[in-house]
Amino acid sequence: MTLLDIAPGPGRARLFCTGHGPTQAATVLLVHGWGGDGREWSPHAEALTDRFRVIVPDLRGHGRSEVPTEGNTPAETAEDLAALILALGAGPVVAVGHSMGGQVVNLLAVRHPYLVRSVIALDPAHGAHGAEVEEIPGRLAEYQRNGARAAAAFIAGAFSPNAPAGLRSAHIRTMLGTPGHVIAQAYAGMYTDVGAVGIRPASESYLRRRTQPALTVWTSPEAAEWERGIPAATGSSVQHWPGTGHYLHEERTDRTVRLIRDWAEETAPR
């Protein structure tokens, strides 16, 4: 494993990340979600290093990366990752993201198609509709007032009864360590800022612009059915994993590793 602490370019946040595996191999980028950090990908990264170069960043405002005063949004995060890929000479990558990270890797694919070979989005933060949309203003106001404490209360309910022991506590602790302004700005960037893509009509519009093959995994059967109806690049697919909480990549680590390995090998250059 290689420790990387990179300021990838002017206007970009300085990112803490780790690199695993041979640098000449096809690259897999593993992107965590809202209020998380790259540690949640540790078992996946170790399992994939026999075949791939694996890059695991902490996103701006999260973990050990720089914490800007403003701009802690998915859109700016996607630009950070584009600069990081260029700085490392690692593209095009198989971009894997969970939750907000799923939104980020799709934004990266749409904005910088030459840097992304394919996408895996795990329970991504797009496609909000109905009652969820109605709750967004109130949630944002609560995050603006109470920051990580309010977010931790929400995250506590994101796990299935079969989640590994300690997983809920680990994510609550990580969320509580995330600055409050980052929590609020990231949430607004997902759903309420101008150009945000988290609500269903905007999600459909930007997903139609994605030209790379994409594999999306949902824990909601309704969300999976909705995304299957959106035209996508050849080779794309949508899966539904029942009986799994939002942190599906950690609740079902082995299955997720197999998913990433099979997809990356399928979409890697021959």
Side-chain angles (χ1 to χ4, degrees), residues 121-212:
L122 304 173
D123 233 20
H126 63 231
H129 74 114
E132 182 182 1
V133 173
E134 295 173 3
E135 293 171 358
I136 287 171
R139 286 183 179 176
L140 176 58
E142 185 68 12
Y143 300 147
Q144 290 169 333
R145 287 192 299 267
N146 297 311
R149 288 186 178 274
F154 174 74
I155 290 300
F159 302 87
S160 79
N162 299 318
L167 184 59
R168 177 182 284 103
S169 295
H171 275 282
I172 290 173
R173 287 176 61 87
T174 304
M175 179 66 80
L176 288 172
T178 306
H181 74 282
V182 173
I183 295 298
Q185 289 175 18
Y187 189 81
M190 285 188 274
Y191 298 111
T192 66
D193 285 354
V194 175
V197 299
I199 295 176
R200 196 158 282 194
S203 302
E204 292 179 359
S205 178
Y206 99 102
L207 290 174
R208 289 172 188 268
R209 294 170 54 198
R210 187 182 56 200
T211 58
Q212 304 89 333

Side-chain angles (χ1 to χ4, degrees), residues 74-167:
E76 289 300 320
T77 297
E79 296 305 313
D80 288 344
L81 295 182
L84 177 68
I85 293 167
L86 288 171
L88 295 176
V93 303
V94 176
V96 184
H98 167 253
S99 192
M100 185 183 77
Q103 187 177 126
V104 168
V105 296
N106 276 307
L107 286 166
L108 176 65
V110 169
R111 292 181 170 201
H112 301 279
Y114 58 96
L115 294 179
V116 178
R117 187 181 310 282
S118 64
V119 169
I120 299 176
L122 304 173
D123 233 20
H126 63 231
H129 74 114
E132 182 182 1
V133 173
E134 295 173 3
E135 293 171 358
I136 287 171
R139 286 183 179 176
L140 176 58
E142 185 68 12
Y143 300 147
Q144 290 169 333
R145 287 192 299 267
N146 297 311
R149 288 186 178 274
F154 174 74
I155 290 300
F159 302 87
S160 79
N162 299 318
L167 184 59

